[in-house]
Amino acid sequence: MTMNKEIDLSVSCYGETRELVYDLVLLPWGATEPHNLHLPYLTDCILAHAIAVDAAERSKELYGVRCMVMPPVTMGSQNPGQRELPFCIHARYETQRAILTDIVASLHTQGIRKMVIINGHGGNNFKNMIRDLSVDYPDFLIACSEWFAVLPAREYFDRPGDHADEVETSVMMHYHPELVNLEEAGEGKYKPFAISSLQEKVAWIPRNWQKVSEDTGIGDPRLATAEKGKRYAGAVVEKYAQLLGELAKGDIY
């Protein structure tokens, strides 16, 4: 993956950014948690960041929109049974809200007025935070999106799950094959809720991870390929590029 120092703050320097005007900021947000036995703890951060960089590059190519991709936030919200796992970090709502508030306050001071959160961790939920920030910063637009939910995974993968599965593994194999050792992967077997109402999503409760999965995976990753990951990531990037072009160029109402 090539590094574009104009759009990726993790490799940028002030000498390259100080003379440029940016239309939007992209904020990848992930977590620090185990991902089965074969993916890095920072998988959610790495993938959200990679998708964001590609989307920023594509939006510039197609629409002339200049975006800056922030370094990924590693503080994710965890389920019961995850925090007890070695080096899994749980960030409370108040912690995440404080981080987001400080980022928005800083960018607002610098004249930025539009930001898209590219979320890579299913346990994160930003809607109420964004509602609060829209009161404090009414001229600052914040959109949030989960990259893995932009397009239906079943149209691209054989047996998608929802954690360290065929989807995440394939996309990681596309972007960073050196970080994947599929031979070490667990099967990703998991136990669904025994209560039918919870299976049917009549109500929601957090899953206890240690009662659900033995290897922390939910979904079998062993059918993953870099080709599948490239196809899915590319399609997601195109959708994001369109979003960025629309947000930068037009009114939303």
Side-chain angles (χ1 to χ4, degrees):
M1 183 171 57
T2 60
M3 294 188 296
N4 189 328
K5 294 185 178 181
E6 289 186 2
I7 65 170
D8 183 358
L9 198 63
S10 63
V11 295
S12 297
C13 64
Y14 180 51
E16 289 149 346
T17 63
R18 61 180 176 174
E19 300 297 334
L20 300 176
V21 176
Y22 289 87
D23 300 296
L24 294 108
V25 165
L26 304 185
L27 178 62
W29 202 307
T32 303
E33 62 173 358
H35 271 73
N36 200 317
L37 309 178
H38 65 293
L39 291 178
Y41 273 71
L42 291 184
T43 289
D44 294 341
C45 302
I46 294 167
L47 296 184
H49 179 260
I51 292 285
V53 169
D54 276 2
E57 290 182 339
R58 190 63 173 147
S59 67
K60 191 170 187 295
E61 292 172 2
L62 292 177
Y63 307 107
V65 175
R66 178 173 280 118
C67 301
M68 175 56 80
V69 179
M70 301 289 288
V73 179
T74 64
M75 295 290 98
S77 176
Q78 305 295 348
N79 278 9
Q82 286 182 299
R83 191 176 64 172
E84 295 83 356
L85 300 173
F87 306 111
C88 184
I89 305 301
H90 170 61
R92 296 175 179 272
Y93 175 88
E94 294 83 1
T95 303
Q96 291 186 315
R97 186 179 186 277
I99 292 170
L100 182 59
T101 299
D102 285 348
I103 291 172
V104 170
S106 298
L107 295 174
H108 189 271
T109 298
Q110 298 155 22
I112 298 293
R113 292 295 182 268
K114 294 178 181 178
M115 182 172 73
V116 178
I117 299 172
I118 308 293
N119 181 31
H121 177 60
N124 295 335
N125 191 322
F126 301 100
K127 290 183 178 179
N128 283 349
M129 302 179 202
I130 293 171
R131 290 187 177 102
D132 288 342
L133 286 166
S134 70
V135 173
D136 298 333
Y137 299 92
D139 60 340
F140 195 104
L141 183 149
I142 309 173
C144 63
S145 175
E146 297 177 332
W147 72 262
F148 50 85
V150 168
L151 292 170
R154 293 194 177 278
E155 295 181 8
Y156 295 82
F157 300 94
D158 294 293
R159 286 183 296 197
D162 69 9
H163 191 255
D165 61 335
E166 184 185 352
V167 179
E168 285 191 311
T169 303
S170 292
V171 179
M172 185 67 82
M173 291 170 76
H174 163 54
Y175 282 116
H176 292 286
E178 76 280 4
L179 298 181
V180 183
N181 189 344
L182 205 51
E183 295 179 357
E184 296 182 355
E187 296 181 15
K189 291 183 178 179
Y190 64 96
K191 295 179 181 178
F193 287 115
I195 299 172
S196 61
S197 294
L198 294 178
Q199 293 178 17
E200 297 169 6
K201 299 183 179 180
V202 177
W204 175 89
I205 63 172
R207 296 174 288 191
N208 186 310
W209 221 252
Q210 294 189 43
K211 294 181 180 180
V212 169
S213 172
E214 294 184 1
D215 52 30
T216 79
I218 295 182
D220 192 343
R222 292 175 296 179
L223 292 177
T225 68
E227 291 74 21
K228 292 177 183 176
K230 180 179 181 179
R231 181 169 170 258
Y232 187 66
V236 170
V237 164
E238 291 296 320
K239 297 293 286 186
Y240 275 133
Q242 179 182 347
L243 169 69
L244 300 175
E246 292 171 346
L247 289 177
K249 299 295 185 182
D251 296 328
I252 62 172
Y253 299 108

